[in-house]
Every structure is written in C-alpha cells, then in structure tokens.
Amino acid sequence: MTISRHDIEKVAVLARIRVDDEQVSALEKDLGNILDLVDQLGAADTDSVEPMAHPLDAVQRLRADEVTETDQREQFQAIAPATENGLYLVPRVIE
Amino acid sequence: MHNKSVAELSRALDTGQISSVELTRQFLDRIRQEDTRYNSFITVTEDQALADARSADEQRAAGNATPWTGVPFAHKDIFCTSGVATTCGSKMLANFVPPYDATVTANFRQAGAVCLGKTNMDEFAMGSSTESSYFGATTNPWGLSKGEKRVPGGSSGGSAAAVAARLVPAATATDTGGSIRQPAALCGITGLKPTYGRVSRYGMIAFASSLDQGGTMARTAEDNALMLNMMAGFDPRDSTSIDRKVPDYTATLHEPLKGLKIGLPKEYFSDQLSPAMEQQVRDAVKEYEKLGATVKEVSLPHAKLAIAAYYVIAPAEASANLSRFDGVRYGYRCEDPKDLMDLYTRTRAEGFGDEVKRRILVGTYALSAGYFDAYYLKAQKVRRLIQQDFINAFREVDVLMSPTTPSPAFVQGEKTSDPVTMYLEDVFTIAINLAGIPAMSVPAGFVDGLPVGLQIIGDYFSEARLLNAAHQFQQVTDWHQREPQ
Amino acid sequence: MQWDIVIGLEIHVQLATRTKIFSGSSTAYGAEPNTQANAVDLAMPGTLPVPNEQAFRYAVMFGLAVNAEIERRSMFERKNYFYPDLPKGYQTTQLERPIVGPGYVDIDLANGETKRVRIHHAHLEEDAGKSLHEDFHGMTGVDLNRAGTPLIEVVTEPDMTNAEQAVAFAKKLHGIVTSLGICDGDMSQGSMRFDVNISLKPKGSETLGTRTETKNLNSFRFMEQAIAHEVERQMEILEDGGTIVQETRLYNGDRDESRSMRTKEEANDYRYFPCPDLLPVVIDDSFIDEARNSLPELPDARKARFMDQYGLNDYDADLLAGDSKLAAFFEAAAERGKDAKLASNWVQGEFSARLNAEERSVADSPVSGTQLGDLVVRIADNTISSAGAKKVFEALWSGENDSVDAIIDSQGLKQVSDTGALESMVDEVLATMPDQVAQYQQESDPKKQKKMLGGFMGPLMKASKGQGNPKLFNEILVKKLGG
C-alpha cells in the first residue's frame, strides 16, 4: 500500500515531528512497506468479532476521593527545561 | 562469584561466605573491565550500589535479610529509578532523572537488592536488536570469537548481554512483542514475560500500554522465579494491574512433569525455520518427553496475522504515549524554539531516533480519520481471534512450545535497512503479547556456535507451571550454564 | 428573509471533588502555580491514571437529575492534540460510551410556556491546565494545577431557538448542579463554562445551516450578548449571499466583538481511540441506588415546595428556588417570621440589588439569611418603618452590628405605632396648619389631595422625632382630614 508524500506530511504535522524532503522520501518507502505488512489484516474475516482492547475481562477499580499528594513542585521543576515563578515556559502562544 | 546464580549468591551472603560490599565490588570491577566490549550498561551507579551494599550488610547483621538482600542486579533503563538517569535508550530522555521510582524499582529497593546500573535497550523499547539506542548498540557476548559483532536481540538487549556476560546475575526487562524472550534466546539465557497485568507498569515508561509487561532475565529458571516473586503483584497505581494472589514461584519448581501435555503449533514450525534450528528445538522437546510429557500438534490458525495486527496496535498506542515528549516539562528541548510549533516539531525531530519516528507516524496514520476502522479497529478484532486460538489450544494442552526466534543472533547492521525485515524477528513471540498470556525462553542448544531458545507458552497466570517446566528441563540439560568465550 | 435560529449548548461543569479525576492531587482553588500537580498530572514518563469514584458518583447524580439513562459500562477514550496546557498530548475523555445518556431539562419561558431541552449526553473528562500570556519576555507560562480536574461536559441537542431559551437552560443547569452539590457554580472562577453552537436556517426549512461555535462564555449576560452578536453576524453574511464558515470563535463581552480562533489548515483530527491504560467502568444497581438516595432537593421540587409551604407565587418561587444558595438564604429568612412574601420581596429586591452592585455572590454576603429574616420580622410587626429598615440593612451590611434589635435600639429607629399617641400628634400638627388643612379639604382632585398629604408628613415626623409610623400617620391624616 502506498502512502503519498502529502499524507506523510499531514501525519508529521499531526504528530508534531519535523520532516525534511529527504526524510519524506525515505518514509515513503519505509511506511509503504509497513503498510503492506499491515494490509494482510484485510484477509481476516472479522464480521462478527468484538474488538479486544484488553487481554483480560477485568473492570476498572475506582479510587477514593482523598488527597494523597503533596507539593513537589521543587523536585519536578528541578528537571524542567524552562521555568519561571513556578510556571513552565513555552514560546508565546497566541490564541 | 560471577558465575553464581542469584539463589547461590543469596546463600553465599547468608552463610557469610562473602559480604554484599565485596560482592558488589567484584561485579562493578567486572563491568568496568568487560563492558567496553558489550556496551550493555548505559549508567553504572557505583557509589549508590556500594552504599546500598553497605546497608544490605547491616540489614543482614541485624537479622532482617530477605532472599534478595545484598544481591546485585540491574534494571533495564525503562524503569524509573529515583535520582538515577532513566533514558529509555533515547536522546529525548538522556538528561531525565526522575524524582520517583517505578513500583518494580521500589520492590527491589525495599528487599535490599543492590542495583548496579541501568541497561541498554532499543530506543523506547522499539526494536529487536538494541541497535537503535542513542547510546550505541550492545554487542552480543556470543559470536565474538568469529570476529563479527552480533546483536543481542532487543529491545532488552542490554539486560540480556549483561546477564550472559556474567556482569550481573539477573536483570529486569520488558516485553511488548518479544523483547524479553527474543534477546534471552539470542544470548543463551532464561527470560520470562508474565501474564499482562501480573507486574505493575507504574513507572515503567510506556511504549504500547496494552502489550507492555515487565519481566525477568537471569541464567536459570530458579532465578527467574526469585525475580518474579519480587516483581509480581497488584498495584493500585496501575489500573491494568490484576489483583490476584502471588504464589511463591520457587515453591513449585521441582514438581515432576509427568503428564504435562505439550502442544506444538504447526504454524511455528513452518519453512521459515532453518532445519538446524528446528532440530535443536525438537531435540529439546524430546527431553520433555523423556521427563514424562506428551506432545501433540496444535494449530493457531490466525498466528500469521499477528505481526500485522501488532504493527497497527503497538505504533497506534505508542503514538499517543510518546506525545508527552514535547520539551516542556522534562527531557530534551531544542535550542531557541522560535514558536510553539517549532518547539514541538524540532524537539521531537531531534530527540527521537528514526525507528521511533517511523512508528509514531505509522501509529498516527492508523488512527487518523478515515483509517481508524480499516486499521486500528480491524487489528483489535484480529487480536480477539488470536486470543481465541490460544484459549482453544489450552483446552487441549497445558503448554505450547516453539522456537523463540526464526534464527540465531544476526550480525549488526544486517537487518537495519528495511524495518519490516527486523519486524519478522518477532514472528513467534508477538501473538503471545496480543493475547496477554505468559511465555518464557529457555536456552535449548546451539546452531553454528550461537544460542537457540525454546519458547514455552502458558495459559493466563500459569507462570508457576512455566517456571517449573523450565526448571526441570534445566536439571537434565546444561545449555543455560554455557558461557560465551 | 426570515430566519430560524438553532442553538445547541456544550457546558463544561467542573466537579467539586476533593481530588482530580485521575490522580490524588488536590483540586482546591487558588494554590500557587504547579503546587497541585503530581507526576501523573505532569505526564511524567511511566505514570498512569486511576479514576476518582466521586467523579462517577457526581456524574450519576447529574444523570438522574436530568432524567437520563446511566451507562452501565462506560469507557474512556484518548483525544489527541498538542497544546502546552495538555501535558500528555491527549485528553482522556469519553466518546463511544459516555456515563450519562440522553436526558432532558424542562425550562419555563417568560410567556408562561414550558419548553423541553433535550440533552444528547454528558461525559466525564479531565480539564486542561492554564496558560498565562502575560509578559514572560515573550513566553507563555503554563500552570498545571487545573490539569486533571474532573469535568462533566453536557451536550444538548440543538433544541433552543433564541437567547432567552439558551439563558434559561443555562441557569436551570446551574441551579441543578449547585443544588446537587456537585459543582460550586462559581462562574467567575471558571467552574462552569459555556460553548454556544449557533446556526441559522431559512424559516421553516428542514435543513440545518452551518454552525459556528463560540467558546468559553462564563456568564449568563455574556452568553446572551454573544448569541445576539453571532446571530447578527451570521444574518448579515447570509443576507449578503455569503456562506458561513464552520469555525470556533471567541467572544469578547467587554467590547461586544468576536473573532475566529486561529485554525490550522488541517482541522484537528483527534484520532480518538480507547485509552489502553483504563478498563471499562461498570456501574451497578447499588451504585445508582445509593446515588439516587443521596440526591438533594432539585430546583423544580423546591419551587413546588416554596409555592406550597410559603405561599409564594410562580414567579417568586421560580426565582428563589433556582439557585440553591439563594434558596437557602431565603428559607433562613422566611423561617424567622410569618411573612414569607415580605421576605421574598427583600431577598429579590434590596438584598439582590446590593449583591449585584458589589458583584458579590450569595456566599459572600455579609448579611445572613437569619439576619435578614429578623429585619423582615421587625418590619412586619411595625417596629420599624421602611425608611428605618433601610438603615438597619445598611448597618448589617457594613458589619456595624450583627443584631437587628441592637441596631434599632442604638439608632433609635423604633417607630411609634400607638394610634392614640399618633392621633394626638396629628391633632396637634393639624391645629398649627389651618391653611393647609383648608386647601386640602377644598381640593376636589383626589390625586392632588394625595400629594398634599406629603406636606403634613414633615411636621409630623418632626413632632414624633422621626419615630412616627408613617403608614399610620397617613391613615390617621386621611381619616381626620376627611374630604
């Protein structure tokens, strides 16, 4: 299955990964091969089959509404790339 | 000392034959001397290890020792270790020092085990050769005598190589599509991927959430059992963790295998397999027959779809799991981002390696509008068919056996030009992750001087039986004791 | 060209749980930035979500209150997009199986009719953090305290046809969630945020027009204005023969302007898929029964009770019962005496006017319901006049004293209502004003006569040192002046 350059560029934007022209060419080939592999799924008859999201039929356990966390800002921001006055800094966002 | 198993080291410590500090020093020396050849460690925590060893000796003196107190081991660099770099083999996390432990990390810490460092891995666990690590490839200790560098398998190649080279007696690892079993096979060691939900995923950096499972690597089944005792258990911080009693996995190792029903999936003995490999594996199965097991052929009709289903589901989940790596709160950040888009696209382009990017893009594509039904939904349906195959098989037999890999360790660089060639390495292991059942690889012989692994597959929560089967096999064979030249 | 307006609402209700929906971090308002954001909230590697039971309880209560089906096996999905206030790069929300299914809310319209607004569904999701765009030398600062706070998103069918209905629905919903106690309803703090979807279609047409979404309106007034503004904007375009662009807009209430939010060329493809870190949430009968048994009185039931218990009319009951805090305030006041109507007048009148003027909520009132109730009692028993009552109210509001009787005493506001005493005062004053008395008695126009009464009030109040009961003075004057 071929994947077009346009599709690759679109997907790269969705995934927020910059790709240059050379990379797009390489990806055309590689992703095309992977999608060829994946196309084999088409052969399976899955008409009356339920999708399986989890291996076991377990159900979600709910957590009691009690505060268990303390202020760890200092430790977390010690490993942050850019902070100021306790805030994480990113290039200005215009809404 | 470096040839001793965890069980033996534990006894040696207990009888005072050696102190933990001395033992730790010996292993650290060995790592320093030998690991330049293998590059199995990303981080070696010398000072911390010696401090932990001192603590362990004190604990032992106070009469508070557990089987793991003072025993050296390593963590795959995918488990968060508080205060110690946790890189996941990636530039994106090369500078990431978490202020928290994974649950698995905490378990070993509480038991007094001595972590010597973090082992190398394919970047974000995506790979079967540990060639995609930002910190360079790991070399398989086997095959060096031939003058070529071979892969240790992946993604847990660092843990496998370190154990095979006797740099540690045991190492934690993870398995999403075969990443414990395949490297265990290629490095001639014993590894186990537990049932999905058996081991907590909290603090274990996520690749594909519904497939990832933490597991064990050591040279013997007994050591794997000792490790699993430490790792298994319910964790309220992991919603997919199963609340089920953890047995003592060492207690049933010695049960006789008479009457064990073994199934050989015919799809796993196809012409993909070289005659030499097939012979080794069938000989191994014959040992089981000698121990009283019966063997029959079974079928997993949808096995051939496993790789296709996996390469939709795993990249799709990974594409979302890796979105958090954006240069904002931790990890790599590109220099001088000119706007938000630039921050994201350049941080991620520079921080991720090629295979990770490929999988994120494939995963994003598979989930995108117009493709969701044909790819993701379809793959989840095929997944149920695969699961059903196993459920059906386990109605007839107790365990399944197969080769772990289609061939022994290949040479570095041999499969890196086409990603799909690499993906086919996992042809025998991947279906197991899709179903969520447990499986092991045990050393079962050699082909051309390179180790061959036997895969033993069990029903949900049958780890004790798998370990028992592996242990009994290791009483009558010595493949697991062979040392690389 | 006549147009039909079609309006649908999406309302984000911040749940008043103690902790976040997927982590045990506190949700308390006003904390220093990023001091209530743990490893899970920060999307640290390896962290995992565990859902909050109370969030589900509140969601089920909401569902019961809006006559909806409760989903017995609900799931979470990931909605993928990149934004600095969304740490994981996806929002955990519900798509295929939201916890609350279709329901409805009935609203009362000004013309006396009732209209049913259908709810399409309501689902649980996590809130994002906050971006602060003030000057960080060209950077934006991100606070993740709010990230992970539980939200219920309520989505209506496009059943509303004008701003009145939309605002009535919004207020009704506000009343419901505050009465249930699942949301503090403080819109200035962002506890409830409204998105309005508006489209126009030619009158009577079956085909819906293209709709726009105006996001994040946080007051009923702004919602009303925004709707009017957008309807006008769309009408202008359509009548000029143009087409409406499907887009998201932001409305600025202070300037009555709106603009399109910057959209990327590719509309956001959210790539929803079931969250693999979470399992299906099973809600059983006992969970629902417990929630049902814990439901407090809802606005409709309360309104009926107010009409019955306090004899209020439909209009007053509706106004007082709608907001649970106001209702509690009113009841505390009414319970002090026997004149519920007077209490109602004061709550709706003087009290509400003062709150609005100072932009306070009932919760911030310096006067309590019981205090107001005591004041009403003293008016009803004629201890003070309405002029005096205003003075007492002022003193209560300023915190000068918290006892109504103490204020009356200290300010000497007790009015004389002893008719005998008042009559003699009137006699005395009238005796000193024979000309005015004559003018009054000679005047044939009753309206003018009534005005003239005012001329006697001054001297009478002086004579009584301001303590004469003005109402009684009036009655006595009329009687004695005759004519």
Side-chain angles (χ1 to χ4, degrees), chain C residues 369-388:
Chain C
T370 37
Q371 286 174 319
L372 191 70
D374 287 344
L375 173 55
V376 167
V377 165
R378 288 294 174 245
I379 300 170
D381 68 14
N382 278 316
T383 305
I384 51 178
S385 66
S386 43

Side-chain angles (χ1 to χ4, degrees), chain A:
Chain A
M1 146 110 203
T2 42
I3 177 170
S4 69
R5 290 185 79 87
H6 174 71
D7 277 344
I8 293 176
E9 281 157 9
K10 228 175 55 171
V11 161
V13 172
L14 282 176
R16 297 296 189 269
I17 299 177
R18 169 186 291 194
V19 287
D20 60 34
D21 282 339
E22 220 179 280
Q23 289 168 316
V24 174
S25 302
L27 286 166
E28 260 184 293
K29 179 170 139 286
D30 287 336
L31 296 188
N33 289 342
I34 297 171
L35 292 170
D36 278 339
L37 166 70
V38 159
D39 279 336
Q40 292 172 17
L41 288 176
D45 176 8
T46 53
D47 276 339
S48 50
V49 182
E50 277 298 299
M52 180 180 138
H54 287 104
L56 300 157
D57 270 326
V59 295
Q60 180 68 51
R61 194 186 57 89
L62 297 175
R63 166 181 58 86
D65 188 26
E66 299 295 337
V67 176
T68 54
E69 303 299 312
T70 54
D71 171 14
Q72 294 175 282
R73 183 171 86 183
E74 216 180 291
Q75 288 122 289
F76 287 129
Q77 293 199 345
I79 59 170
T83 60
E84 190 172 308
N85 293 343
L87 296 161
Y88 289 99
L89 293 183
V90 296
R92 173 76 75 98
V93 179
I94 303 161
E95 214 147 61

Side-chain angles (χ1 to χ4, degrees), chain C residues 165-195:
Chain C
Q165 292 172 14
V167 172
F169 175 85
K171 286 186 172 166
K172 189 73 178 267
L173 202 75
H174 183 272
I176 290 173
V177 300
T178 52
S179 299
L180 289 175
I182 66 175
C183 174
D184 70 15
D186 190 334
M187 285 157 68
S188 66
Q189 284 184 7
S191 299
M192 268 180 97
R193 298 163 341 229
F194 299 86
D195 298 343

